[in-house]
């Protein structure tokens, strides 16, 4: 099964993709995470991408399409994928259609997480992760039980994404409304779109997605 999670920055795509990966055996493919790894490793892609990501703009379609195409050829994705953060405009959605056709793969479902716009800036600017295990926290919604110590691994160093500042988040949101929103209509017209409520409790969002995808 191949699935896309769609929705604005901060809607919970990454969190839900990780939960689904655990529950389903599908593999999460997050273009944002792959680009951040490329930036950290100082690869050619990474050098090209860093400034664009820090501004909150979109990295060029050629780069992200190539990254996804390469990943889909690797053995560990044979059980199916959860695309998180891709496609982000209609050109990428069309490129994905072609890529899937070439590789004899099928897109099963696109799940849109619907959220109130007002919640997004607060959700994004408050989030941070443990450097050691990657567990996510939030200044307001989910703090470690012991201040400064990760609940999962005991790590004491945490980081925030450089593009989670208020200014960049506002740009990321306007890029989303201009470029990514039309992707929702693209999939609606193909009859594969399912919209769920992303404002309820995190476990309930997971449950709704599992029901839509028939994962038990
Ligand atoms: P994310 O982790 O999905 O919020 O992505 C972080 C940043 O990576 C975005 O603001 C973009 O600069 C870049 N990015 C991630 N996915 C894509 C994509 N599909 N197309 C273009 N840029 C992307």
């Amino acid at each position: 099964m191949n699935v896309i999670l769609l929705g604005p920055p901060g809607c919970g795509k990454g969190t839900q993709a990780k939960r689904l990966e655990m529950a389903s055996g599908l593999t999460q493919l997050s273009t944002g995470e792959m680009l951040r790894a490329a930036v950290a490793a100082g690869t050619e892609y990474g050098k090209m991408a860093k400034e664009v990501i820090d501004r909150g703009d979109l990295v060029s379609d050629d780069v992200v399409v190539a990254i996804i195409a390469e990943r889909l050829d690797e053995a560990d994705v044979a059980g199916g994928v959860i695309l998180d953060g891709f496609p982000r405009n209609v050109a990428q959605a069309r490129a994905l259609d072609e890529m899937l056709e070439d590789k004899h793969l099928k897109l099963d479902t696109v799940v849109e997480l619907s959220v109130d716009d007002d919640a997004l800036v607060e959700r994004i600017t408050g989030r941070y992760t443990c450097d050691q295990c990657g567990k996510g926290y939030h200044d307001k919604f989910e703090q470690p039980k012991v201040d400064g110590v990760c609940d999962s691994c005991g790590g004491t160093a945490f980081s925030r994404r450089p593009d989670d500042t208020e200014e960049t988040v506002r740009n990321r949101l306007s890029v989303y409304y201009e470029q990514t929103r039309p992707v929702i209509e693209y999939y609606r017209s193909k009859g594969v779109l399912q919209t769920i409520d992303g404002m309820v409790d995190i476990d309930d969002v997971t449950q709704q997605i599992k029901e839509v995808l028939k994962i038990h």
Side-chain angles (χ1 to χ4, degrees), residues 78-122:
V81 294
I82 308 157
L83 292 170
D84 156 17
F86 179 91
R88 250 178 160 97
N89 59 30
V90 172
Q92 292 180 15
R94 294 211 171 97
L96 177 64
D97 282 347
E98 281 175 25
M99 200 187 306
L100 292 174
E101 201 179 320
D102 286 352
K103 296 177 196 295
H104 306 289
L105 297 170
K106 176 173 166 272
L107 175 63
D108 294 274
T109 309
V110 178
V111 181
E112 178 200 2
L113 303 187
S114 160
V115 287
D116 293 346
D117 298 356
D118 295 346
L120 295 173
V121 174
E122 186 181 34

Side-chain angles (χ1 to χ4, degrees), residues 9-10 13 30-33 35-36 49 52-61 64 68 84-89 92 127 161 163-164 168 172:
K13 295 187 297 289
S30 156
T31 39
E33 279 182 13
L35 289 166
R36 282 188 288 281
V52 182
I53 296 173
D54 287 351
R55 280 201 309 270
D57 289 333
L58 293 188
V59 173
S60 84
D61 293 345
V64 288
I68 289 290
D84 156 17
F86 179 91
R88 250 178 160 97
N89 59 30
Q92 292 180 15
R127 66 189 183 182
R161 281 173 43 177
D163 60 341
D164 277 352
T168 304
R172 285 163 63 197

Side-chain angles (χ1 to χ4, degrees), residues 39-72:
V39 170
T43 66
E44 278 310 302
Y45 281 154
K47 285 180 198 146
M48 282 190 283
K50 181 168 177 11
E51 268 180 45
V52 182
I53 296 173
D54 287 351
R55 280 201 309 270
D57 289 333
L58 293 188
V59 173
S60 84
D61 293 345
D62 292 350
V63 169
V64 288
V65 168
I67 290 178
I68 289 290
E70 274 172 29
R71 238 355 231 111
L72 286 175

